[in-house]
Amino acid sequence: MTAGGLPTEERRVVVKEALSVGIATGAYGISFGALGVASGLDVWQTCALSLLMFTGGSQFAFIGIVSAGLHAAPAAIAASSLLGIRNGLYALELTQLLGVRGARRLAAAHITIDESTAVAVSQSHVKAARLGFWLTGVTVFALWNLTTLVGALVGNALGDPRAWGLDAAACAAFTALLWPRLKSRDAVAIAVVAAVVAVLLAPATPPGVPVIVAALAAFIAWRRPRQAAQGAEVEVPGDTTESEVQP
């Protein structure tokens, strides 16, 4: 049986994956809401950032400017710009996959984030990818804004968000997405290279830089084996018999 053009079992898997990622990531909005009001914003200003900006890294960078003063602006702007670049790259990847136009294109652009992209590109079929993108994006958007409001209302009563493990929610979601795809030695090696690069750069670079450099390192590591394999492919001419030789 099929549902929405997808086999029922495959649809169930995609829905489960999308909701798992969406719920784990959406919960992290509590920390942004709490930090927003702690930095001097009121509840509505904090909620407006999540509603209109809706890109976690840039939102936290903005909060950094508000809380630390204008002297922190250059680093925060640089970090948010670098974080925004990846969303542009995601859009290039997803444009053909989603095939949306008009108002749906604007909606898709707004929810093109790490989580919706990751779930979409992890699917093996176009229909599954589209379902995963929309369900993940809408779930994260709804819960992120709801939990931002909750975090802003409870404010300092929540305490340190890290004590609740909310700072690790997004990382846990991505690890859950990545783990099943590490089915070959090459995939494991590329993941290790990216992780090592990110860990080495994290203490000395602004937020966002380790992720971008690690992604570049992973891309280079992925391309080299492919190029080597292509270089090893040599066209072997067919055998020529005497009867095929023209006088």
Side-chain angles (χ1 to χ4, degrees):
M1 296 178 63
T2 63
L6 282 175
T8 303
E9 183 59 31
E10 184 175 358
R11 183 181 179 86
R12 185 181 296 114
V13 170
V14 176
V15 169
K16 181 179 179 180
E17 184 176 318
L19 292 179
S20 298
V21 173
I23 292 171
T25 305
Y28 192 27
I30 294 178
S31 62
F32 176 75
L35 289 172
V37 295
S39 300
L41 300 179
D42 61 31
V43 172
W44 301 115
Q45 289 171 330
T46 303
C47 291
L49 280 175
S50 283
L51 183 66
L52 301 175
M53 185 179 283
F54 188 54
T55 169
S58 297
Q59 290 180 227
F60 281 103
F62 181 84
I63 290 299
I65 297 176
V66 173
S67 61
L70 291 178
H71 68 278
I77 292 172
S80 61
S81 298
L82 287 171
L83 290 167
I85 289 174
R86 76 190 193 283
N87 284 7
L89 297 176
Y90 295 160
L92 292 176
E93 175 75 16
L94 294 172
T95 297
Q96 297 298 322
L97 180 63
L98 298 177
V100 291
R101 298 181 181 277
R104 293 191 68 195
R105 190 180 184 93
L106 294 176
H110 197 53
I111 62 172
T112 297
I113 53 176
D114 297 323
E115 292 78 14
S116 59
T117 302
V119 173
V121 301
S122 68
Q123 308 306 321
S124 56
H125 302 292
V126 172
K127 290 183 178 179
R130 291 175 177 175
L131 173 61
F133 172 85
W134 286 107
L135 185 55
T136 304
V138 170
T139 302
V140 174
F141 182 78
L143 291 179
W144 180 267
N145 282 278
L146 177 61
T147 55
T148 293
L149 175 60
V150 173
L153 290 174
V154 299
N156 294 330
L158 181 66
D160 186 354
R162 291 174 296 182
W164 299 84
L166 296 175
D167 57 324
C171 295
F174 273 108
T175 302
L177 277 177
L178 173 65
W179 187 259
R181 300 180 66 81
L182 302 181
K183 298 179 180 179
S184 67
R185 291 183 179 180
D186 286 346
V188 172
I190 291 169
V192 170
V193 168
V196 170
V197 170
V199 169
L200 292 176
L201 291 179
T205 57
V209 173
V211 175
I212 293 174
V213 177
L216 179 61
F219 179 75
I220 293 173
W222 173 71
R223 288 290 296 173
R224 284 183 176 176
R226 289 173 61 89
Q227 291 172 347
Q230 291 172 356
E233 293 179 357
V234 179
E235 184 178 353
V236 180
D239 294 337
T240 304
T241 62
E242 290 184 4
S243 62
E244 295 172 335
V245 178
Q246 300 296 326

